[in-house]
Amino acid sequence: MSKSKSFLIISRRPPYGSSHARDALDTALTTAVFEQPVAILFQGDGVYQLLSGQEPGGVRQKNLSATLSALPMYDIDRLYVCARAMAQRGLDQNDLVLPVEVLDDAGIAGLIRNHDVVMNF
Amino acid sequence: MSKSKSFLIISRRPPYGSSHARDALDTALTTAVFEQPVAILFQGDGVYQLLSGQEPGGVRQKNLSATLSALPMYDIDRLYVCARAMAQRGLDQNDLVLPVEVLDDAGIAGLIRNHDVVMNF
Amino acid sequence: MTLHTLNRPPSDRALLTDCLAALLADDTLLLLEDGVYCALESLSLPTGVRCVALAADVEARGIGSRLPAGIEVVDDAGFVELCCRNDRVLSWF
Amino acid sequence: MTLHTLNRPPSDRALLTDCLAALLADDTLLLLEDGVYCALESLSLPTGVRCVALAADVEARGIGSRLPAGIEVVDDAGFVELCCRNDRVLSWF
Amino acid sequence: MIFSLLVYGAPHSHQAAESAYRFAVSALNQGHGIHRIFFYGDGVHNGSALASPPQDECDLPARWQALAEQHELDLVVCIAAAVRRGVLDANEALRYEKPAHNLRAGFELSGLGQLAEAAIQSDRLITFGA
Amino acid sequence: MIFSLLVYGAPHSHQAAESAYRFAVSALNQGHGIHRIFFYGDGVHNGSALASPPQDECDLPARWQALAEQHELDLVVCIAAAVRRGVLDANEALRYEKPAHNLRAGFELSGLGQLAEAAIQSDRLITFGA
């Protein structure tokens, strides 16, 4: 690949109810395989993807947490969450399956401006 | 058909963005053809279906207003709108393509209890 | 008596508001799929309305230990029984 | 500079709130599909943010005469031009 | 008690179809009857003969078919919604001069009247919406 | 300027696909290039060879195909999303031992890498979400 671009994936949907959360992660992983820098922002109901203790066997789906935990292996280590989304849901770092950086609105707006390609799911 | 049941169709989606609004109307019309009493409640963004002046040629869809205007011909003349949905959107009867009865929350709850089959779209 | 089901998260505020406004005494509200996240809010239910959440969806999303008192968890068989016990089932989505 | 597009109605309040919070001066917000209904709300846009609505969707939904001042209507060609003039396009849905 | 189900979501895209399947199994296990399962909107894709999910994922169209064979279920796919979305049986493929058909065995295409009839004839209609 | 498009919605179910089509036509009319149109999620149904809408409705899969022929467009359907949802080309039908295939001429199945590559090579990626 001749060029390099920085990617930001914004993941806004809760896990399991639809395929959006899975598709966002698959896109992030694939982009990382292309050796492009990838960051992920979990926003809105997307922060529910990070909740610990998920057991989706009863709804016959694969555990999203396993994929999330694999992100650092693909050099996707810039993981952000929206501060408002966390606060509205009464969540903090201790509730989550992996460490993330909490961003306020100004931080998120800046994050978007600092990436070449921003994709929402 | 040996039995008769009363049907209430609740239509909550705006027109054109998805097929829900069209599907709700098709279901109402088909049920009326089966000679069952049918009422329709437009709630939430569903009240936008009733707005006059729609011209969906540019998005290559058929005008929903034409179908709405045909409802009385199928003996579907009990048309209701949610009072909250209208007020939140600053709409009144003069904005709509056909006459409807405005119901408050208690009226809607009672309407649901008075129908055998209630379908949401 | 009506069984209401709701499968969207509380961020779909308009849906949740309309659903809650339609509840009458002796109705039951069943939360399923992404709707189980609504159980984490302090829902203002009318007197005499029971609120239950579907077990498989609660477990999938890891929110079992976070459910407030007053939300019962029912399995798929319990969902079927609720459909029998009520006169109609209205799905909000 | 970012072109933000939004295709959901204002009843999806969480989406609209996050989108508005992400706007910076010189960004443009393009409303399309069911997103054109957002133009009927009094949106609190940051200074220097332009808000436009897609003509075909405005006409489809019959809201042309209801648009407040400050919302421009652009056609499909204008949408393409906005994509060119901005550094990136972020779609909210 | 006699149930009918209305399924509005496609497999993999939305959880509604899987919820409906679990409900159907549970109702049958309790000895209830199922008059009809009606697939509408994007739910028509539950009737796909070509869906090929990975082996470790749930193959819902195959499960519906197996459940129908075991319990003689009436699986009806809305014909108007299906042909728009590219789900055809042999007849419709002929009518629209298409080179193939893809409606799974165990499902049939029929009109929206089958939904109205199901609602009338059943004790309860349960919608799985998307 | 070189665009790529990401289409996430199915025809008839959601307006996103029609919006994407109008955008593509408008961009081409202005003399811009389109590197690729990538269909993901329910957008894979844009590549259906069997979709048969009524004559007075927009046949989007046929329009995509015609546009691609006219402008030599690269219409790529995400293979992982497509096979789950029952959109197969001849190769995949063989691999999964299915009796038919239904990917329309003018479209091809390929991996998600084609989306990443399109985003990298194009000046702008425009998403039409659902």
Side-chain angles (χ1 to χ4, degrees):
Chain A
M1 203 71 55
S2 53
K3 304 177 196 175
S4 177
K5 288 189 179 176
S6 58
F7 282 70
L8 172 64
I9 310 280
I10 305 181
S11 190
R12 301 184 46 82
R13 311 290 181 110
Y16 311 119
S18 73
S19 61
H20 288 87
R22 170 72 56 189
D23 291 345
L25 287 182
D26 285 347
T27 302
L29 291 169
T30 303
T31 307
V33 168
F34 274 64
E35 297 190 345
Q36 306 293 312
V38 180
I40 307 180
L41 166 65
F42 297 91
Q43 197 174 29
D45 291 321
V47 301
Y48 284 133
Q49 296 174 38
L50 299 164
L51 219 53
S52 58
Q54 298 174 31
E55 304 271 1
V59 300
R60 294 198 192 86
Q61 289 193 47
K62 280 185 272 192
N63 200 323
L64 207 69
S65 309
T67 310
L68 287 167
S69 305
L71 292 175
M73 289 196 303
Y74 289 83
D75 291 326
I76 304 176
D77 44 19
R78 290 183 303 127
L79 303 177
Y80 305 98
V81 293
C82 169
R84 266 187 301 109
M86 293 287 280
Q88 278 167 358
R89 290 162 184 80
L91 301 176
D92 63 38
Q93 285 274 3
N94 297 324
D95 300 306
L96 308 185
V97 289
L98 75 180
V100 290
E101 185 175 339
V102 180
L103 290 183
D104 63 10
D105 288 344
I108 290 171
L111 193 71
I112 292 169
R113 280 243 171 143
N114 283 332
H115 285 79
D116 298 316
V117 179
V118 187
M119 297 170 70
N120 223 324
F121 282 96
Chain B
M1 203 70 53
S2 54
K3 304 177 196 175
S4 177
K5 288 188 178 176
S6 58
F7 282 71
L8 172 64
I9 310 281
I10 305 181
S11 191
R12 299 184 48 80
R13 312 290 181 109
Y16 312 118
S18 74
S19 60
H20 288 87
R22 170 72 55 188
D23 290 346
L25 288 182
D26 286 346
T27 301
L29 291 169
T30 304
T31 307
V33 168
F34 274 63
E35 297 191 344
Q36 307 291 312
V38 181
I40 307 180
L41 167 65
F42 296 91
Q43 197 174 28
D45 292 320
V47 301
Y48 283 133
Q49 295 174 39
L50 300 164
L51 218 53
S52 57
Q54 297 174 32
E55 304 271 2
V59 299
R60 295 197 191 86
Q61 289 194 47
K62 280 183 272 191
N63 201 324
L64 208 69
S65 308
T67 310
L68 285 166
S69 305
L71 292 174
M73 287 195 306
Y74 289 82
D75 290 326
I76 303 176
D77 44 18
R78 289 182 305 128
L79 302 178
Y80 305 98
V81 293
C82 169
R84 265 186 303 109
M86 294 286 281
Q88 278 167 359
R89 290 162 184 79
L91 301 176
D92 63 37
Q93 285 274 2
N94 296 324
D95 300 305
L96 309 185
V97 290
L98 74 182
V100 289
E101 185 176 339
V102 180
L103 289 183
D104 64 10
D105 288 344
I108 290 171
L111 191 72
I112 292 168
R113 280 245 169 142
N114 282 333
H115 285 79
D116 297 316
V117 179
V118 187
M119 297 170 71
N120 223 322
F121 282 95
Chain C
M1 293 186 345
T2 304
L3 173 63
H4 301 256
T5 75
L6 176 70
N7 75 347
R8 300 271 306 145
S11 59
D12 196 339
R13 185 62 48 179
L15 183 73
L16 179 58
T17 299
D18 287 344
C19 171
L20 292 174
L23 299 172
L24 290 175
D26 301 324
D27 283 357
T28 300
L29 172 60
L30 172 82
L31 306 171
L32 79 162
E33 300 169 16
D34 290 338
V36 297
Y37 292 117
C38 294
L40 304 180
E41 307 253 317
S42 41
L43 299 174
S44 54
L45 298 169
T47 317
V49 170
R50 191 178 159 203
C51 182
V52 306
L54 199 59
D57 290 313
V58 167
E59 290 158 14
R61 290 159 180 82
I63 61 169
S65 62
R66 297 165 189 276
L67 292 183
I71 307 277
E72 296 165 61
V73 174
V74 300
D75 61 9
D76 293 348
F79 182 5
V80 174
E81 283 158 22
L82 282 168
C83 292
C84 297
R85 276 215 294 276
N86 285 275
D87 301 312
R88 68 191 68 72
V89 184
L90 170 51
S91 302
W92 299 85
F93 60 93
Chain D
M1 294 187 342
T2 304
L3 172 64
H4 300 256
T5 75
L6 177 69
N7 76 347
R8 301 271 305 144
S11 58
D12 195 338
R13 185 61 49 178
L15 183 72
L16 179 58
T17 301
D18 287 344
C19 172
L20 292 175
L23 299 173
L24 289 175
D26 300 324
D27 284 357
T28 301
L29 173 60
L30 171 82
L31 305 170
L32 79 162
E33 300 169 15
D34 290 337
V36 297
Y37 293 118
C38 294
L40 304 180
E41 307 252 318
S42 39
L43 300 175
S44 54
L45 299 169
T47 316
V49 170
R50 189 178 159 204
C51 183
V52 306
L54 198 59
D57 290 314
V58 166
E59 290 158 15
R61 289 158 180 83
I63 61 170
S65 62
R66 298 165 188 276
L67 291 183
I71 307 277
E72 296 165 61
V73 175
V74 300
D75 61 11
D76 293 346
F79 182 4
V80 173
E81 284 159 21
L82 282 168
C83 292
C84 296
R85 277 213 294 276
N86 285 275
D87 302 312
R88 68 191 69 71
V89 184
L90 170 51
S91 302
W92 299 86
F93 60 93
Chain E
M1 185 152 281
I2 306 296
F3 289 111
S4 280
L5 274 54
L6 168 59
V7 182
Y8 211 83
H12 300 284
S13 305
H14 195 283
Q15 206 192 329
E18 199 270 334
S19 297
Y21 177 83
R22 292 210 327 272
F23 184 93
V25 169
S26 192
L28 293 166
N29 283 345
Q30 287 181 48
H32 298 297
I34 295 184
H35 175 67
R36 181 168 299 139
I37 303 179
F38 191 86
F39 298 92
Y40 195 27
D42 288 341
V44 300
H45 295 297
N46 283 274
S48 169
L50 304 183
S52 310
Q55 295 237 326
D56 58 348
E57 288 185 19
C58 178
D59 186 347
L60 214 42
R63 282 177 179 258
W64 283 122
Q65 181 183 0
L67 195 70
E69 283 166 6
Q70 197 184 340
H71 297 276
E72 298 185 13
L73 296 181
D74 191 24
L75 305 181
V76 176
V77 176
C78 175
I79 189 166
V83 298
R84 278 180 175 82
R85 288 171 176 81
V87 176
L88 306 180
D89 62 9
N91 277 340
E92 298 306 306
L94 211 62
R95 181 197 315 269
Y96 293 103
E97 300 177 353
K98 296 292 183 183
H101 49 93
N102 59 345
L103 184 71
R104 185 175 279 266
F107 291 80
E108 63 172 315
L109 298 182
S110 189
L112 204 41
Q114 296 292 309
L115 171 58
E117 196 268 355
I120 296 164
Q121 298 297 337
S122 307
D123 297 310
R124 302 283 182 277
L125 174 72
I126 326 287
T127 301
F128 292 86
Chain F
M1 183 151 284
I2 305 295
F3 290 111
S4 279
L5 274 54
L6 168 58
V7 182
Y8 210 84
H12 298 286
S13 304
H14 195 283
Q15 206 193 328
E18 199 269 335
S19 297
Y21 177 82
R22 291 210 327 272
F23 184 93
V25 169
S26 192
L28 293 165
N29 283 345
Q30 287 181 46
H32 298 296
I34 295 184
H35 175 68
R36 182 169 296 137
I37 303 179
F38 191 86
F39 298 92
Y40 196 25
D42 288 342
V44 301
H45 295 297
N46 283 275
S48 169
L50 304 183
S52 311
Q55 297 236 323
D56 58 349
E57 289 185 19
C58 178
D59 186 346
L60 213 41
R63 281 176 180 258
W64 283 122
Q65 182 182 0
L67 195 69
E69 283 166 6
Q70 197 183 340
H71 297 276
E72 298 186 13
L73 297 181
D74 191 26
L75 305 181
V76 175
V77 176
C78 175
I79 187 166
V83 298
R84 278 180 175 82
R85 288 171 175 80
V87 177
L88 305 181
D89 62 9
N91 277 339
E92 297 306 304
L94 210 61
R95 181 198 314 272
Y96 292 104
E97 299 177 353
K98 296 292 184 182
H101 50 93
N102 59 344
L103 185 71
R104 184 175 280 266
F107 292 80
E108 65 172 314
L109 298 182
S110 190
L112 205 41
Q114 297 292 309
L115 171 59
E117 197 267 353
I120 295 164
Q121 298 298 337
S122 307
D123 297 309
R124 303 284 182 275
L125 174 73
I126 325 288
T127 300
F128 292 86

